[in-house]
Amino acid sequence: MELTFKDNVVLITGSGRGIGRSIAENFAEHRATVILSDYNAESLANVEQAFKEKNYPYLAVPCDVTDEEQVSQLFENTIASFERIDIVVNNAGITHDTLLMRMKTDQWDSVINTNLKGVFLVTKAASKFMMKQRFGKIINISSVVGIIGNAGQSNYSASKAGVIGFSKSIAKELASRNITVNVIAPGYIETEMTHVLSDAAKEAFLATIPLKRAGSQIDVANAALFLASPMADYITGQVIKVDGGMVM
Ligand code: NDP
C-alpha cells in the first residue's frame, strides 16, 4: 500500500522544532497539506522557511495551545483555507523538572496547562469539525513516564498519564463518528528537550533500553504516520510505546 496523505490536512502543535517538526516533515514528504503551529515565533519561521524551500503545501499559524482563543483562531484559519481537518497531532509539550518538595505551584500549573489542558482544547476544537466530516485521526503524544512515573517529573508524568486517560475516553466518545484517537508514548528521544539532561542521566536511560540506543525523532514520526494512515483504521484508544523496549 502506497502511504500517501495527498487528500489530508494535518495539524501538528509545537511543530517548530523537535519531534513535532519531524512529524510535520514526515507528513509533508508523504504529500499531506500541513498546518504548522507553535508558540515560538522563531522556530515557526524556521520550519516555515524549510517548507517553502521544499515547496510543501502548508499553512503556518502561531498558537499557544493553552490559550482557548488562539486555539479557536487556529482552527478558523485552517478551515477557512482548506475547509477540512483530517489529522491532528497534539505534540506541544514542556517540562519543569524538580522534586515534589521543591516544586512551585506555577511549575505544576504550567506543565499541566500545556501538556494536558492544551490537548483538551485542541482536541475539542478539532473534534467539532471531524464529527461533521465523519472522519478524523487524533494522535496525542504522551510519554513512557506517564505509564511508569519518574522521580523529579511528578508534574510531567501526571500530565502525560492524564493524556492517556483523556485519549481513551475521547476514543470511546468519538468512535461512532469514525474518528480514532491514539497515543504515542515515546521513551528517551534525542531532541533539544532531552539535550539538557546530564551525561549521567543519559547513561541511566540508555542502560534501561534493550535496543541500546536513544530514539530518533523520525522513530516517533513514523509511528504517527502509521496511526494516521488507513493501515490503522481499526486501531483506537491505544497507547503505542516508541521506546526501544524500555517499558514492556
Ligand atoms: P521540544 O521542546 O524540542 O519541542 C516542543 C515544541 O513545542 C517547541 O517548539 C516548543 O516551543 C513548543 N511549545 C511548548 N509549549 C507550547 C505551547 N503552549 N503552545 C505551542 N507550542 C508550544 O520537545 P520534544 O520535541 O522533545 O517533545 C515533543 C513532545 O514529545 C512533547 O509533548 C514531549 O513531552 C514528548 N516527549 C518527548 C520525549 C523526548 O525524549 N524528547 C520523550 C517522551 C515524550 P519552545 O521551544 O519555545 O519551548
Side-chain angles (χ1 to χ4, degrees):
M1 184 191 281
E2 191 207 351
L3 200 53
T4 174
F5 295 89
K6 69 179 169 48
D7 299 324
N8 294 138
V9 178
V10 186
L11 161 71
I12 303 103
T13 66
S15 42
R17 71 173 201 187
I19 292 170
R21 177 168 172 168
S22 282
I23 294 173
E25 288 172 341
N26 207 13
F27 273 111
E29 278 158 23
H30 290 82
R31 302 179 63 198
T33 298
V34 175
I35 315 297
L36 299 165
S37 182
D38 205 291
Y39 77 165
N40 186 314
E42 196 183 329
S43 306
L44 190 59
N46 287 342
V47 66
E48 191 178 355
Q49 184 58 31
F51 268 58
K52 242 183 226 156
E53 281 164 16
K54 293 203 163 169
N55 266 328
Y56 291 149
Y58 77 92
L59 177 72
V61 188
C63 176
D64 178 345
V65 296
T66 66
D67 184 321
E68 191 163 8
E69 188 49 46
Q70 290 186 33
V71 169
S72 158
Q73 197 58 53
L74 169 64
F75 282 92
E76 273 171 35
N77 290 358
T78 300
I79 300 300
S81 300
F82 303 110
E83 291 174 1
R84 56 186 301 113
I85 178 71
D86 300 292
I87 300 159
V88 167
V89 185
N90 279 302
N91 163 82
I94 59 167
T95 53
H96 277 305
D97 298 349
T98 190
L99 295 171
L100 176 64
M101 286 305 143
R102 293 195 197 123
M103 190 173 292
K104 305 263 190 317
T105 304
D106 66 337
Q107 292 175 311
W108 173 269
D109 286 344
S110 60
V111 169
I112 298 291
N113 276 341
T114 305
N115 299 4
L116 184 54
K117 184 183 167 194
V119 174
F120 156 69
L121 290 175
V122 172
T123 304
K124 188 178 170 195
S127 63
K128 190 172 110 190
F129 299 102
M130 289 177 169
M131 282 165 78
K132 279 194 205 130
Q133 290 168 186
R134 295 200 167 257
F135 177 80
K137 306 257 187 191
I138 297 169
I139 298 161
N140 295 330
I141 309 295
S142 175
S143 165
V144 291
V145 309
I147 301 168
I148 59 169
N150 196 21
Q153 288 198 307
S154 58
N155 50 358
Y156 184 74
S157 26
S159 71
K160 294 299 189 181
V163 166
I164 293 174
F166 172 76
S167 304
K168 289 182 180 179
S169 303
I170 299 307
K172 289 183 178 177
E173 286 185 25
L174 300 180
S176 64
R177 305 297 179 101
N178 194 31
I179 301 167
T180 63
V181 186
N182 289 292
V183 175
I184 297 174
Y188 168 39
I189 310 294
E190 270 172 352
T191 67
E192 288 181 57
M193 186 185 264
T194 50
H195 190 66
V196 296
L197 293 172
S198 67
D199 286 345
K202 287 180 187 168
E203 285 304 318
F205 272 126
L206 284 175
T208 66
I209 301 173
L211 287 179
K212 290 288 168 227
R213 67 168 176 88
S216 64
Q217 296 174 21
I218 197 71
D219 289 321
V220 181
N222 284 338
L225 223 64
F226 166 69
L227 288 172
S229 78
M231 287 190 284
D233 276 351
Y234 198 55
I235 300 176
T236 195
Q238 302 306 308
V239 182
I240 310 291
K241 297 185 210 91
V242 179
D243 68 348
M246 184 196 270
V247 177
M248 57 169 94

